[in-house]
Structure formats: C-alpha cells, structure tokens
Amino acid sequence: MEVVTGAMGSLLPKLGELLAGEYKLQKGVKKDIGFLESEMRSMQAALSKVGEVPWDQLDKQVKVWAGEVRELSYDMEDVVDNFLVRVEDSDPAANSNKIKQLMDEMTNLFTKGKARHEIANAVKDIKDRTLQVAARRDKYKVDGIIANTSSINNAVDPRLLALYTDQKELVGIEQARDELTKRLQTDGDCHASKQKLKIISICGPGGLGKTTLAKAVYDQLQTQYECLAFVPVGRNPEVKKILKDILLEVGKKKPVGEVATLDERQLIDKLRELLENERYFIVIDDVWDLKSWKLIKCALLDNNRGSRVIITTRILNVAKETGDVYEHKPLSDDVSKELFYTRLFGGKDKCPRDQPAEVTEKIIKKCRGIPLAIITIASLLAGKPMEDWSKVYTSIGFGHGDNTMKILSFSYYDLPSHLRPCLLHLSIFPEDSEIMKDTLIWKWIAEGFVAEQHGVGLFEIGERYFNELMNRSMILPVEDSVSYTIYACRVHDMVLDMICFLSNEQNFVTILDNKEKYLSSQSNPRRLALQTEYIEEHNPLANMCMPKLRSFYANRCHISVMPSLSSFQVLRVLDMKGCAFLRDCHLKHIGRLVQLRYLGLQETRISKLPEDIGDLRFLQSLDLHKTEIKELP
C-alpha cells in the first residue's frame, strides 16, 4: 500500500503545478484536474490507513481497489509528465534567422495546441476511471478497514515461544549469555548494595534470538534479585498495560492492591514506591520507540542497590539511547550446524552418516547464522527423505505463513511509508549481491522515492534513508577494511525472501530469472528486473510493447533477452550493468526516452554514446564505470 501512497506523493505536486502554471488549459480541463487532485488526496489518506494493516490480513477486494488506485495514479502521472515535456520545449535560438524562427514558433504553437487537446481527452478518461474507483471505495468500505483489525492486534506473538524454551534445547547461546552476564555483574570491588542501576540493550535484527538470550540471562541471574519482571513491549505498545504488567510481576511477593483503574502517572508512582528499597532485575523485551521507553524508565528508579535492566530492540538508535549496547551476533557456521542437527535429529552425534553434506552446507550458508531461519528450515525438512533435501533447497523460501516471515514483517510494517518502497526496491538485486551505496541512492532518486526537502540535497536525503534502513537492521552494511567507511550493503536471504514476496503481491517489481523466463501477455509491469543469462533464438520480450514500464534492470543478461528501446515510452530508469554483449548500436534512439533519469552502462563494452543523449533533459545519473568510453559527445 505504501507503494501506492508513494506514487500519489509524486503525482499530487504535479497536479498542483498544472493548476498553478500558465499552460493555457481550458477551464473545463482545469476543473477536472482540480477534481482529480481532491480525489487523489482523499484516496491517499485512505491508503495510509490501509497501509498500517499487514498485506496478508487485508480483504481481497481492498487489495483489488488499491491496485486500481496505483495504476490510476501512475497513468495520470505519465499523462502529466508527457504533457509538460511537450509544452515546455525551449524557445527558438535567439541567433536563428527570422524566417526559420517564425516557422519554429508556428510549429511550436501547433505542437502545444495538440498537446493541450490530448491532455484534455486523457484527463477526461482518467476522471471517469476515478469516479468508478471512488464508487468501489464506498462499496468495499475501505475507510473502515482499520476498525476491523482488532483480531490482528490480538494475534499471538510468535516470539512468545522463546520465553518457554527449555534451557537444554538452547544451542550456541552459552558464550553470549556468559558475556552479557559478566557485563551485568558487580562493578569492581563495589558492594552490590551501593551499585548504581545498570541498563544494557541487546540489539540485532529480527530472528537473531535476542529474546532467547535475554531469557537465558534472566533465568541464570534471577536468584540474586528480590524483585523480577520479564515484560514484552512490541511494535504498537500500550504503555499503561506495560506498566501494569511490570507492577504485577514485581509485586508477586508483595500485595500491590487494585491496579486496573490506575492511570500512567499513578502506575509509575506505585512502581517507584514498590522498587524503592528492593534490588530488582527487569527485562523489557522488544522496544521499538524512545517515547514508550522514556515513560517506562520513569518507573525504574535508581536506588543504589545494584538493580539491573535489560532491553531488547532491533533499532540501533533506540539501543544507544536506552543503555550500554550489546550487539548480538549471528551464529558461527559450526554452531549453526549444531543447532540444525539438534533440531532435526536431536544432536550432531545422532546425525545419520548418509545425510547430504553438500546440501546441508548450502542450507547453513543461506541461513547466515540466524537461529530462527535455521529452526524454520530444519522444521521444513523434518520427516522428509534425505534424497529430497536438494529439491527442497532449490525451492526453499520463508513462506508468509511461518513465524520467520511474521517476525520479519514486524520490522517491515514499522518502517515509515517513505522507506518501504526503498526496501522493496532491493528485490531487483539477485541473492548475495553487494549493492553499492551511492548507485543505489541515485536509483532511489530516479525512481522518485526520495522526497524533496527545502535546503537539503536529494542525495543527502537518500543517504539518510540508507542509514535508517541500516539502523533498523533491514540491510547489512559492507565496510571498507582500510577507511572503515560503509560503501555498500547486502540483504539477508530471509529479508530478500520477504521483500520479494511483498513486491510480487503489490505488483511493485516483476522479476524474470531462470525460474520464470516469460512475461504473461496480460501483464503490464511498471518495473522489470531481468536476472537471467538465458539465450534463446526467439526472445519473448523482443516484440513486446511495454508502454507503461518505468524502470528496466538487466543484470549481466545476454542481449537476446532484452527488449528494444523503442518499446519503452515512459522509462525513467535504464540499468544494464554487466551486459557484456551490449554494443554501441543497441543505444540507437536513446534520446527518445525523454523521461529518463538514470542510465547505467557500467561494466559493458560501450565505447561511444550517441549524440541524441543530449536530448535527455531530465537525466540525473549516467554511470559509465568500467566501460570503454573515452569522451562524451
């Protein structure tokens, strides 16, 4: 849904420009555009509410309606962009002769008049479609969708199982548990009764086992404290409920009285009173925002009795603000194998000798040390013949119905709406890709994902987006070993599976790889990513017209699978990285792609750019890294 609201966000300013600009539009056309602007704003507001609901929880009719709105906003933006290009052509050169200048002006007037006539017809058509979509919005009762999400909010959190895992079942947690325990222990020779309150934050991505680690430390140290509590917070916390939960847990040994009618202030006061003379150990699990934490912290007074608090969070900035940061790391390969065999066979020593070692290595590599991924795949393989493991691996994915996807989706739906398209966009890259930071940001800008801010450059804003995704553990940083600067990122396989699933569901990117070589004749992709080196005599894309395609990504593809540039009409991004068979002749008519913002020819054998590349007035990025080009035209 954020994809749709993002499309709206780039369309609405353009509609405003049409209304405010001096384009000599007929009054009727201006009135229709005003109507469209009003309706689009109303739909954007409705979509923002719907966007808060996980995609798989939405009613099918609401999904259909959202798709219609998306296509509508894209089509309207294409109309506006093409109109502006045609009416904003530069004036005839001042030094041209008068007869030629007069002819140019007459041609210009005719072209602009024709453009105004065409936009009037297009606007009328889109207005008719908008009225139909608006009627379906009322029919489907889209605006009331949020009222029906109580069952979603009350769903059992899959992380709850981590609290009740038997210690004997835990694998590879000993080192992290001991290190964290040591940090929590008494400082130096200072007596415990005179120690200040210490708060430690366990930070890491979803599925890494932060809750499991916190519970292991909690179980090991709880006998040393007088008051105890282990309380989950979650993505949309109700602070009053959290304070009540803490109060009820720490008050197990003392009567706390009736708490149901108390407000936040009264609960904080009661907790402070209860903890004033006690040595306590409290775990606040899964903190997402500082506002909630600051209210909770008000109750955790420092009584100089050596009390301890552990926070778990996925967000690094939250961890830094809440306390001493402990960055939880993925499991090593050896420990990953141990966990895999323990969950599958009950232990490494019980593993059959004929188990497929090569496939196991691949599975362990895919999981990248994330315990939840290892457990998920082990559960998938349990009970299946070992000769089928290879088949399972080739089709493996973390389905949207399992706990892995649910846990990861918490992070996705916590993202601000402007970051969600940036994350979904990463689905264009093949598995295990090293994604260059600067190139990625310029692609986001060309796609229109980066919103303008007064006085701040677009690249700087895009860099903030990149850092925020990294801070939220959604992308993995790649650091230069000499300068220690982050120059690239990777996407964890589990996150990639999730965003590919969501991207496909929302028709955000169409991916053609070795598994899926053909586009349906009925499909109308907006973004197309080719990830195949497959060569065939009759290319199914060669003669396919894609008038609405906005972005085309070809990663190390043979020219035989690439469509002709003439099939694109509103293309904004053209990236042909590593397409070794690309030649100068293939860029013929590149100047006709008047909406192009990004052109990537890196790692190709292109040696000369055509003269008409100068017609690309909106071009922001031209990547010629590792080409044979010596000079620009």
Side-chain angles (χ1 to χ4, degrees):
M1 227 56 68
E2 55 284 347
V3 177
V4 190
T5 53
M8 290 281 199
S10 58
L11 170 61
L12 289 171
K14 292 177 181 178
L15 291 177
E17 183 183 347
L18 273 186
L19 292 171
E22 298 179 1
Y23 297 110
K24 298 181 181 177
L25 295 172
Q26 297 173 3
K27 284 185 179 180
V29 177
K30 278 200 169 186
K31 185 178 178 182
D32 286 347
I33 292 173
F35 165 80
L36 287 174
E37 184 187 36
S38 175
E39 277 297 310
M40 293 291 182
R41 288 192 186 280
S42 177
M43 289 180 186
Q44 185 183 38
L47 286 165
S48 295
K49 293 179 183 178
V50 175
E52 295 302 311
V53 183
W55 182 263
D56 60 341
Q57 305 283 356
L58 284 174
D59 184 88
K60 186 177 180 181
Q61 290 179 320
V62 175
K63 290 182 183 180
V64 171
W65 176 79
E68 290 174 340
V69 175
R70 177 186 58 237
E71 295 304 312
L72 199 59
S73 60
Y74 280 150
D75 287 347
M76 186 66 208
E77 190 174 9
D78 290 343
V79 168
V80 173
D81 283 344
N82 286 329
F83 172 73
L84 293 177
V85 165
R86 293 171 66 183
V87 300
E88 289 183 344
D89 281 335
S90 57
D91 293 327
N95 60 354
S96 61
N97 66 65
K98 289 188 176 181
I99 295 177
K100 184 177 182 301
Q101 182 178 343
L102 181 62
M103 292 182 68
D104 286 343
E105 286 176 351
M106 290 175 67
T107 302
N108 208 16
L109 284 170
F110 174 76
T111 302
K112 289 181 180 180
K114 187 179 179 184
R116 291 189 188 97
H117 179 71
E118 287 177 358
I119 194 176
N121 291 335
V123 167
K124 185 179 183 305
D125 175 61
I126 289 176
K127 180 186 175 183
D128 292 341
R129 287 169 58 193
T130 302
L131 288 169
Q132 294 172 11
V133 171
R136 279 191 282 274
R137 170 185 165 184
D138 295 334
K139 180 181 177 182
Y140 299 156
K141 297 181 173 58
V142 172
D143 294 321
I145 194 70
I146 293 302
N148 299 321
T149 60
S150 57
S151 60
I152 298 168
N153 294 332
N154 292 331
V156 175
D157 191 330
R159 290 163 295 183
L160 192 63
L161 296 172
L163 299 182
Y164 302 101
T165 302
D166 193 311
Q167 289 283 333
K168 296 175 184 177
E169 295 181 37
L170 300 179
V171 173
I173 205 170
E174 298 84 0
Q175 185 178 346
R177 181 194 62 200
D178 294 344
E179 185 180 339
L180 192 54
T181 299
K182 189 176 179 181
R183 283 204 201 182
L184 287 167
Q185 295 290 9
T186 306
D187 294 332
D189 298 325
C190 180
H191 192 273
S193 63
K194 295 182 179 179
Q195 261 192 21
K196 287 187 172 296
L197 172 68
K198 180 179 280 188
I199 302 173
I200 291 183
S201 297
I202 303 174
C203 185
L208 197 59
K210 299 181 295 297
T211 300
T212 304
L213 174 59
K215 186 63 165 55
V217 175
Y218 179 79
D219 289 344
Q220 183 166 298
L221 297 181
Q222 60 178 302
T223 57
Q224 302 175 21
Y225 297 87
E226 296 149 359
C227 286
L228 299 163
F230 196 113
V231 177
V233 175
R235 193 167 73 87
N236 299 304
E238 186 183 338
V239 176
K240 187 188 290 188
K241 182 183 182 305
I242 295 163
L243 291 170
K244 285 179 184 175
D245 288 346
I246 298 173
L247 191 57
L248 290 170
E249 286 207 35
V250 299
K252 282 178 180 177
K253 294 180 180 179
K254 292 183 178 181
V256 295
E258 179 59 46
V259 299
T261 58
L262 301 182
D263 60 22
E264 283 91 340
R265 182 186 61 80
Q266 291 168 324
L267 288 166
I268 290 170
D269 288 344
K270 199 167 188 69
L271 258 173
R272 289 176 68 89
E273 181 185 342
L274 189 68
L275 298 174
E276 187 174 5
N277 298 310
E278 304 290 344
R279 188 165 186 253
Y280 62 86
F281 183 18
I282 297 175
V283 178
I284 310 294
D285 186 39
D286 200 28
V287 178
W288 289 77
D289 69 287
L290 289 172
K291 185 179 177 182
S292 302
W293 161 247
K294 286 176 180 177
L295 278 173
I296 296 167
K297 191 174 185 294
C298 290
L300 308 176
L301 84 164
D302 186 356
N303 55 12
N304 291 316
R305 296 184 63 85
S307 296
R308 296 291 182 258
V309 175
I310 291 179
I311 307 295
T312 71
T313 182
R314 305 182 188 195
I315 303 171
L316 186 58
N317 284 353
V318 171
K320 288 177 179 177
E321 288 290 329
T322 53
D324 180 19
V325 179
Y326 177 84
E327 289 194 51
H328 196 18
K329 302 293 184 185
L331 303 178
S332 67
D333 284 353
D334 287 342
V335 176
S336 295
K337 285 180 187 175
E338 186 182 349
L339 176 60
F340 179 75
Y341 290 131
T342 299
R343 287 304 168 102
L344 205 51
F345 305 115
K348 194 170 183 179
D349 56 328
K350 297 179 182 178
C351 173
R353 292 183 179 180
D354 60 342
Q355 66 86 25
E358 186 179 345
V359 177
T360 301
E361 292 288 341
K362 288 181 179 179
I363 290 171
I364 297 302
K365 182 176 181 293
K366 182 175 179 66
C367 293
R368 295 185 185 275
I370 301 294
L372 186 66
I374 297 167
I375 292 166
T376 299
I377 293 185
S379 301
L380 184 67
L381 293 173
K384 287 186 170 60
M386 282 185 283
E387 56 267 25
D388 290 347
W389 280 21
S390 183
K391 190 188 300 181
V392 172
Y393 173 77
T394 57
S395 61
I396 212 162
F398 299 93
H400 67 283
D402 64 31
N403 284 347
T404 310
M405 184 62 81
K406 287 179 183 175
I407 289 173
L408 285 175
S409 69
F410 292 151
S411 287
Y412 176 76
Y413 287 106
D414 186 63
L415 291 175
S417 58
H418 64 273
L419 289 181
R420 294 184 192 179
C422 295
L423 183 65
L424 292 186
H425 177 257
L426 295 172
S427 62
I428 68 169
F429 297 99
E431 190 175 326
D432 297 324
S433 295
E434 184 175 276
I435 304 164
M436 303 306 292
K437 173 185 167 183
D438 289 5
T439 306
L440 176 64
I441 292 171
W442 283 117
K443 286 175 183 173
W444 287 347
I445 292 170
E447 290 274 10
F449 301 153
V450 179
E452 292 186 17
Q453 293 179 22
H454 181 68
V456 187
L458 284 173
F459 186 85
E460 184 181 342
I461 299 168
E463 198 166 24
R464 292 177 188 172
Y465 290 7
F466 182 92
N467 291 337
E468 195 165 352
L469 286 174
M470 191 169 60
N471 173 47
R472 290 169 174 266
S473 304
M474 299 307 292
I475 57 177
L476 306 173
V478 179
E479 192 175 67
D480 185 276
S481 58
V482 178
S483 64
Y484 299 106
T485 56
I486 293 167
Y487 69 90
C489 71
R490 294 186 189 277
V491 182
H492 192 284
D493 291 349
M494 286 197 305
V495 176
L496 184 61
D497 281 334
M498 177 188 70
I499 61 179
C500 284
F501 168 76
L502 291 171
S503 181
N504 181 62
E505 284 285 295
Q506 299 183 34
N507 194 26
F508 185 71
V509 177
T510 300
I511 299 172
L512 295 185
D513 55 19
N514 290 323
K515 299 174 188 174
E516 194 161 340
K517 301 187 184 74
Y518 301 97
L519 262 182
S520 163
S521 59
Q522 302 299 317
S523 63
N524 192 12
R526 294 290 180 171
R527 296 177 185 87
L528 179 61
L530 294 186
Q531 298 175 1
T532 176
E533 297 179 13
Y534 185 79
I535 302 173
E536 60 177 29
E537 187 177 348
H538 303 292
N539 173 20
L541 296 179
N543 300 313
M544 185 176 284
C545 184
M546 288 178 273
K548 296 184 178 183
L549 194 73
R550 291 181 163 214
S551 308
F552 180 78
Y553 299 94
N555 191 284
R556 307 191 183 284
C557 299
H558 192 275
I559 194 66
S560 68
V561 300
M562 293 174 59
S564 166
L565 293 185
S566 61
S567 65
F568 305 135
Q569 295 178 20
V570 292
L571 202 69
R572 298 175 177 214
V573 176
L574 178 58
D575 185 25
M576 296 182 281
K577 180 181 178 180
C579 296
F581 291 89
L582 194 68
R583 296 293 183 268
D584 296 350
C585 61
H586 298 133
L587 296 182
K588 189 178 180 182
H589 307 312
I590 189 80
R592 295 180 185 177
L593 305 179
V594 291
Q595 299 291 348
L596 203 64
R597 268 79 167 166
Y598 181 98
L599 177 58
L601 302 172
Q602 63 273 39
E603 299 178 35
T604 64
R605 295 182 183 177
I606 295 294
S607 61
K608 185 179 179 181
L609 292 174
E611 292 288 335
D612 65 351
I613 197 169
D615 295 337
L616 303 178
R617 67 171 70 180
F618 297 118
L619 193 66
Q620 298 164 323
S621 307
L622 177 61
D623 193 340
L624 303 177
H625 185 59
K626 292 186 180 179
T627 63
E628 296 176 9
I629 293 174
K630 300 290 188 272
E631 61 180 10
L632 297 176

